[in-house]
Structure formats: C-alpha cells, structure tokens
Amino acid sequence: MNYFLTEDQQMIKDLAAKIAREKIEPVAAHFDETGEFPWEIVKLLAQADLFRVFIPEEYDGLGGGIVEMCLVVEELSKACGGIALAYAASGLGTIPIILFGSEELKKQYLPRLAAGEILGAFALTEPEAGSDAAAVKTRAVPDGDSFVINGTKQWITNGGEAFIYTVIALTDPSRGPRGASAVLVEKGTPGFEFGKKEDKMGIRGSATRELIFTDCRVPKTNLLGREGAGFLVAMKTFDQSRPGVASQAVGIAQGALDKAVAYSQERKQFGKPISSFQGLQFMLADMATQVEAARALTFQAARTIDAGAKNVAKISAMAKVFASDTAMRVTTDAVQVFGGYGYMKEYPVEKMMRDAKITQIYEGTNQIQREVIALQLIKESLQKKD
Ligand SMILES: Cc1cc2nc3c(=O)[nH]c(=O)nc-3n(C[C@H](O)[C@H](O)[C@H](O)COP(=O)(O)OP(=O)(O)OC[C@H]3O[C@@H](n4cnc5c(N)ncnc54)[C@H](O)[C@@H]3O)c2cc1C
C-alpha cells in the first residue's frame, strides 16, 4: 500500500529495509540468544545517517520528524524488535532534548546523537513507580548551582550503553507531582552507576538496566523545561514517542506475517501446501488486514504530531494500543501457521511472539493507554457541551 511518502522518506525507508534485511536478520537470533548489545549494528545505522532523520537540521539532523523515525523503527523491527529498540530508545531519550532542551543543551548533545556517536535513554520507572509514575521517589535536591540526585531507576532501556539520560526526579517533594523535574545526566558522572542487566523474555538484543544515583551532582543548567515540569516533559515526550512503539509493533507483526505467508507455501500436508487450506488463508487474510490497519493508524498519529497538532495524546495512545495488540495477535497466529515448528527456536516466529509482548507493556501499559483515550474522549465531549 502506498503511504504517500516523499522521495526522501522513501529513501530512508529503503535504506533501513536494506540494513534490516542484509545486516540485522542474519544476526537477530544471535543477539536474542546471547543478550549482547548490538553495537556493530548501531554503528552501521550511524554510518547510514539514520540517527539524523528526526533531528532538526540546525543540530546536524536531516530535519524530519516522527514519521521518519517511525519508518526506520518499522523496517528494523521487521528483522529484529530487540535490535530496533536500541535505535528507538535513543529516540525516546532524544525527544525531550529537542522539545525542552535549552539552546546550550541542544548544541551540546543533539549533534552527537544525530551522528549516532552517543545513544540516549529516558528514565522514569522505579521499583514502586510503574503505571503510577507520580509515585517516583528519586530526589534531585537543589544545592547552589547543582542538583544532587539520589535514588534508583528500574528497567531503563539502553541503560549502561547510552551516554545521556533524561531522569525524572523530585526537586520539591512537598509539591507532589508538580515537584518533579527532568534533568539530563551523563554516563560517567560521579555517583551514577548501573545495576545488573535484566534477563528478559524478548527484545533480548536491547539492554535493560537499573540506574543507581548516590549523591550524583549535575549542574542546574541540565534541567529540561522548568523546575517542577518533570511530568509535563515525560507526558509530552511519550505523546511523541508512542508512535515509535507502535512502529516497532507493526514491524514485528509484518515480519511475522511475511514469514508465515512464505512458510505456508513451502509446508505440505495432505499432499498440498498448507496455504491451499481455507482455514489458513482466512488467518493470513486477517493478519494482513490487522497489520495494514495498525500501520495506517500509526502513520496518522505520526503525521498529526509532525503537523504540529496541539493535543496528540489520544491519537498517539490509540496507535500504541492498536498496533501492539495487533502485534501480539499476529505473531501468535504466525506461530500457529508454523505449527510445531513455530514453537521451536530454530524458526524465527517464536522470537517475534516474545518480542511483541513488550509493546503492550512499556511506555505505559495498554490499560493505561485506554485510560488516556477514555479521559480525552470525556474531555472532548464536555468541551462540546460548553
Ligand atoms: C523491557 C522493559 C523496558 C523498559 N524500558 C523503560 C525505559 O526505558 N524507561 C522507563 O522509564 N521505563 C521503562 N520500562 C518500564 C515500563 O514503562 C513499565 O514497566 C510500565 O509502565 C508498567 O509499569 P509496571 O511494570 O510497574 O506495572 P504496574 O504499574 O505494576 O502494572 C501491573 C498491571 O496493573 C495494570 N494497572 C496498573 N494501574 C492500572 C490502572 N490505573 N488501571 C488499570 N490497570 C492498571 C497494568 O496495566 C498492568 O497490567 C521498561 C519496562 C520493561 C519491562
């Protein structure tokens, strides 16, 4: 289907697809098995200028937006959802700098992120603060020209591998959620250490670690937005990054569908390719229809953001919910199409099913996304009555 991409967007998509096909697909099982971080692929993506696509031109980017980021994430995810996440999570760490960074911070970090010389990460979650993000306990106590950070962040993607971290911490606990701020912290800052790397069900090529802050001092100039606006920074960042999760889901689903269609023509039972059985044909048709619908909604969300729409929370959440639920269904069905072989690690679809699951959980679970959508619906309905 034609998504009315510009010539530049089509080039970005084709380039990402070529890297995915030629460089990522052959090593996807290796990174899934070992859990190593795919630095060699990150370097290839950097050489291909793919980290530049969503960064403004004045900071050495190519001036694209969320559509461009989504195009890359989808193509990479077709080959490996885990490796694609090293790229997507760096995007998640870059967006708050683009949206809320001072001119100085933008000049300091965006050109290096655009070159893929460093990776970014975003740290909100804590052991006691998952969906209830307002329950964060990490403190960033103002002290002269610095903030002194103490606390622990949990399950941070690109943790240990990224160089620059957006950390949401309380600068004034007496103000509750309005007392949180977003602060940039560089890897190597004294008092900033990493916990163990998590052993995960899927997306095993991505690094997930604890961040541990002990009297970690960062300059006040590292603040993103104003003091007290930490949750605003987080929510506005997620509004823009959730289509990226949706693209990861669409890519994983499309990858599984492609494998299922090919396998159904190779595998023979009852003397015929299994693709000749209507029971399977209908499954494949439903899978393809769901993937196409998920992609359309994801591009709708990305284009709405890039067009500068003010309130994108609902469309962004819708794309994330729909695409991730689709990825879970489609990858499960792909395993079914492969039968017993699909359950074996020798074939790629069981990994895709494991990789798909996370898209329903992170950047706000799908239950939380549905709350976001419903609250916005109610708000819009009340506005109409006024
Ligand atoms: C692999 C991985 C990578 C991650 N990467 C990052 C990262 O880079 N940065 C970061 O900050 N975080 C990251 N996270 C954290 C992730 O965003 C959280 O796991 C997620 O927000 C859910 O929080 P929780 O796991 O504590 O679940 P909980 O909040 O404990 O939820 C448990 C269950 O209860 C449901 N639930 C909770 N509250 C409600 C409610 N009000 N209504 C209905 N249902 C509800 C949830 O939907 C879920 O099903 C990552 C997590 C994982 C697993």
Side-chain angles (χ1 to χ4, degrees):
M1 187 164 162
N2 187 342
Y3 276 91
F4 307 104
L5 301 178
T6 64
E7 219 172 285
D8 284 351
Q9 289 169 340
Q10 190 62 49
M11 268 169 57
I12 290 168
K13 181 178 160 70
D14 292 345
L15 182 58
K18 188 170 157 48
I19 294 176
R21 211 171 39 242
E22 293 175 3
K23 305 291 182 188
I24 300 182
E25 197 173 336
V27 298
H30 167 81
F31 285 100
D32 178 54
E33 204 181 313
T34 62
E36 286 166 20
F37 190 77
W39 273 114
E40 63 204 61
I41 305 291
V42 168
K43 282 186 188 134
L44 286 175
L45 301 177
Q47 281 160 14
D49 284 336
L50 290 179
F51 284 97
R52 295 187 198 279
V53 302
F54 58 92
I55 293 181
E57 280 174 308
E58 54 270 44
Y59 308 106
D60 295 353
L62 292 173
I66 302 302
V67 168
E68 282 75 7
M69 185 177 80
C70 288
L71 285 170
V72 176
V73 174
E74 183 187 332
E75 292 308 321
L76 304 185
S77 300
K78 283 180 190 168
C80 180
I83 293 176
L85 186 57
Y87 176 88
S90 191
L92 171 65
T94 305
I95 290 169
I97 306 178
I98 296 175
L99 294 180
F100 295 98
S102 65
E103 193 52 33
E104 214 167 87
L105 291 174
K106 286 181 182 172
K107 279 190 184 140
Q108 196 174 342
Y109 295 112
L110 291 181
R112 295 178 72 192
L113 287 160
E117 180 195 323
I118 58 169
L119 295 178
F122 189 90
L124 171 63
T125 304
E126 297 181 6
E128 305 299 326
S131 301
D132 184 10
V136 294
K137 290 198 181 93
T138 296
R139 296 280 309 269
V141 177
D143 181 29
D145 292 340
S146 315
F147 291 115
V148 180
I149 309 177
N150 278 287
T152 300
K153 293 289 174 184
Q154 175 171 271
W155 300 337
I156 305 308
T157 304
N158 281 351
E161 313 295 339
F163 179 73
I164 190 70
Y165 297 76
T166 297
V167 178
I168 307 296
L170 296 174
T171 39
D172 183 358
S174 70
R175 299 189 67 215
R178 288 176 196 275
S181 302
V183 184
L184 286 180
V185 187
E186 281 185 9
K187 179 176 176 174
T189 307
F192 178 20
E193 283 167 346
F194 301 102
K196 74 170 166 62
K197 188 168 168 176
E198 300 292 345
D199 189 10
K200 304 188 293 288
M201 169 199 277
I203 52 158
R204 292 173 53 79
S206 85
T208 315
R209 284 196 177 87
E210 231 177 20
L211 315 185
I212 304 157
F213 299 97
T214 316
D215 294 332
C216 174
R217 191 172 281 273
V218 295
K220 274 195 174 162
T221 48
N222 280 18
L223 190 68
L224 294 175
R226 55 180 173 75
E227 217 173 297
F231 286 116
L232 179 83
V233 171
M235 294 313 134
K236 293 287 173 197
T237 297
F238 289 146
D239 282 353
Q240 299 219 355
S241 64
R242 279 178 184 144
V245 179
S247 298
Q248 183 191 22
V250 170
I252 295 170
Q254 183 69 59
L257 173 63
D258 292 346
K259 296 285 177 210
V261 171
Y263 182 81
S264 71
Q265 292 163 76
E266 289 158 16
R267 174 70 173 167
K268 288 199 174 109
Q269 288 292 280
F270 303 98
K272 293 178 191 167
I274 58 171
S275 63
S276 65
F277 303 127
Q278 199 176 52
L280 272 201
Q281 288 177 355
F282 281 8
M283 267 177 81
L284 293 172
D286 283 346
M287 289 157 76
T289 306
Q290 290 169 51
V291 174
E292 205 59 66
R295 183 179 291 116
L297 185 54
T298 301
F299 274 116
Q300 177 67 10
R303 289 208 162 103
T304 306
I305 294 166
D306 288 346
K310 230 170 125 199
N311 191 347
V312 294
K314 186 175 78 176
I315 185 83
S316 200
M318 284 173 162
K320 196 260 184 193
V321 162
F322 191 79
S324 59
D325 285 352
T326 296
M328 205 57 239
R329 269 197 308 270
V330 168
T331 54
T332 306
D333 284 349
V335 171
Q336 194 68 20
V337 170
F338 273 70
Y341 292 101
Y343 203 72
M344 302 299 155
K345 293 218 171 194
E346 226 177 302
Y347 290 82
V349 285
E350 64 82 33
K351 171 187 177 293
M352 290 166 162
M353 187 176 160
R354 287 186 284 110
D355 286 350
K357 183 62 203 169
I358 192 61
T359 61
Q360 295 179 306
I361 296 173
Y362 60 18
E363 290 199 33
T365 66
N366 280 8
Q367 285 74 28
I368 296 300
Q369 300 310 300
R370 287 181 167 91
E371 273 189 14
V372 170
I373 296 164
L375 282 175
Q376 195 58 36
L377 278 177
I378 293 161
K379 209 165 124 190
E380 285 167 11
S381 156
L382 289 174
Q383 278 164 356
K384 274 185 208 148
K385 282 186 195 151
D386 284 347

